[in-house]
Amino acid sequence: MITVDNLVKSFPARGGAVRALDGVTLEVQAGAVCGVVGPSGSGKSTLARCIALLERPDSGAIRVDGTDLVTLDGNRLRAARRQIGVVPQGDSLLRQRTAAGNVALPLETAGVDGPTRRRRVGELLDLVGLTDKAASYPDQLSGGQRQRIAVARALAANPSVLLADEPTSALDPETTGSVLTVLDRARAELGVTVVVVTHDMAVVRRICDDVAVLDGGRIVENGRLLDLVSDVDSRTANALLPALDQTDGIAGDHDRVADVVLVGFAAVGALLPEASNRFGVDLAVLGGGLTRLGETPVARFRLGLTGERADSALEWISEAGALVRRTPKGPQGVAA
């Protein structure tokens, strides 16, 4: 588990210090993938560097599996850092080393013997799907392959935490997918807790369990991804869920209009047809659509309901676990 408590970090600048992190508090459960997102300059990369103790915070605590890294120094700090693998932003491989040589570098530095080192490198190349590229040099690899080798290198010392700073920056969608698959496998097969710093919400949609949104050095939104998208006012929901078109003209043709968020296979597949049949109302989808968050389908629809029991249908949909918000169409513009 990673716990960040009231973290503050400033950098000197003309006219005074710039506060990059301003009282950041965050908890990431063991074995989860947490996406740290936000606009440029919001403090995302600074937070990742502080968690890895590549930057020393001005104040606050950073606990990994209960140990406050900020209080450590010398050998204890070096040992703690080995529990945190880092995938830096950009191309970080050594050009004079092969793919296998890059992965082996942390093991060589730690004094791991040759047979153990070769076995571990082989396991990691298999994990990232690049066993056949072991003898290739970085300039012979694609950008996505280099990033996958960087992930393998970060995992070499069996860390409990993996920090990836913009791991898919400048990669095409197909290549991005291969890198994200590797990060997800690291979590699933090795039990690593993963923190991904990204500006790309597609990364969050694909692999993240939790999200922390930074703005101006502060966390303005934080929690389980599926909980956040169930709040239609959240930044996460607005960034990830299908957009709702303007439907003012169409909305007037219905007795009730509501925005509905459905999470999970059962809700997305059956809830609305069952409500229509149960209460004898006609349901029309006026806007929105369907997406996936990891393996979970999530829908956001603007619905038009026609029939005497439209209100009852909306109440039943809400009681069944969907988020229902009625749009301001007359006196019924209240959340169900």
Side-chain angles (χ1 to χ4, degrees):
M1 177 185 290
I2 304 169
T3 304
V4 177
D5 186 15
N6 200 28
L7 206 65
V8 174
K9 176 64 180 179
S10 299
F11 294 98
R14 288 183 179 179
V18 173
R19 183 165 286 193
L21 299 176
D22 189 6
V24 170
T25 296
L26 173 67
E27 187 173 282
V28 183
Q29 295 297 318
V33 178
C34 178
V36 178
V37 302
S40 178
S42 60
K44 304 186 299 294
S45 292
T46 300
L47 176 59
R49 289 179 62 81
C50 283
I51 292 174
L53 263 293
L54 299 173
E55 295 280 357
R56 279 277 185 177
D58 301 335
S59 61
I62 303 166
R63 298 183 182 89
V64 176
D65 297 332
T67 300
D68 187 356
L69 306 185
V70 177
T71 65
L72 304 180
D73 56 19
N75 291 334
R76 294 179 65 203
L77 177 59
R78 284 188 287 274
R81 278 177 171 161
R82 284 196 289 271
Q83 292 303 305
I84 304 174
V86 179
V87 183
Q89 186 173 353
D91 189 350
S92 61
L93 299 186
L94 298 178
R95 285 303 189 267
Q96 71 274 25
R97 280 181 166 254
T98 63
N102 271 280
V103 177
L105 184 58
L107 301 173
E108 293 175 11
T109 303
V112 176
D113 65 83
T116 302
R117 189 169 65 237
R118 287 189 289 274
R119 183 172 62 254
R120 180 63 177 161
V121 169
E123 292 170 350
L124 291 169
L125 289 175
D126 180 63
L127 178 78
V128 302
L130 291 174
T131 300
D132 60 333
K133 301 295 184 182
S136 298
Y137 288 88
D139 290 338
Q140 297 171 313
L141 303 174
S142 68
Q145 289 170 338
R146 289 195 292 271
Q147 278 296 80
R148 286 150 65 188
I149 294 297
V151 173
R153 182 180 61 187
L155 293 169
N158 284 309
S160 60
V161 173
L162 180 66
L163 297 176
D165 190 358
E166 297 286 3
T168 62
S169 179
L171 299 180
D172 61 73
E174 182 177 352
T175 305
T176 290
S178 68
V179 174
L180 296 182
T181 296
V182 167
L183 293 175
D184 200 32
R185 287 190 69 185
R187 177 267 299 271
E189 298 181 22
L190 304 179
V192 177
T193 304
V194 182
V195 177
V196 182
V197 173
T198 183
H199 69 280
D200 185 357
M201 295 304 287
V203 173
V204 175
R205 184 181 287 112
R206 172 76 180 268
I207 65 168
C208 290
D209 305 301
D210 304 332
V211 179
V213 182
L214 270 74
D215 198 350
R218 298 188 176 199
I219 290 186
V220 296
E221 196 167 279
N222 178 35
R224 301 289 292 176
L225 178 59
L226 293 178
D227 292 338
L228 290 175
V229 298
S230 295
D231 176 2
V232 294
D233 293 325
S234 73
R235 297 192 188 193
T236 304
N238 288 326
L240 292 178
L241 296 185
L244 295 172
D245 301 327
Q246 294 298 319
T247 56
D248 294 343
I250 303 174
D253 298 332
H254 302 280
D255 295 320
R256 294 290 184 269
V257 176
D259 295 340
V260 178
V261 176
L262 307 165
V263 178
F265 289 94
V268 169
L271 204 57
L272 298 185
E274 185 174 349
S276 178
N277 291 332
R278 183 183 290 250
F279 295 95
V281 298
D282 292 328
L283 283 173
V285 176
L286 308 180
L290 177 69
T291 188
R292 277 182 179 269
L293 301 180
E295 296 300 319
T296 304
V298 179
R300 176 163 66 173
F301 296 128
R302 178 158 293 165
L303 301 177
L305 294 84
T306 305
E308 292 183 0
R309 303 182 69 191
D311 286 326
S312 297
L314 288 175
E315 290 172 7
W316 182 84
I317 292 170
S318 177
E319 290 170 359
L323 175 75
V324 176
R325 175 169 291 183
R326 304 185 195 192
T327 63
K329 182 181 180 294
Q332 74 279 7
V334 183

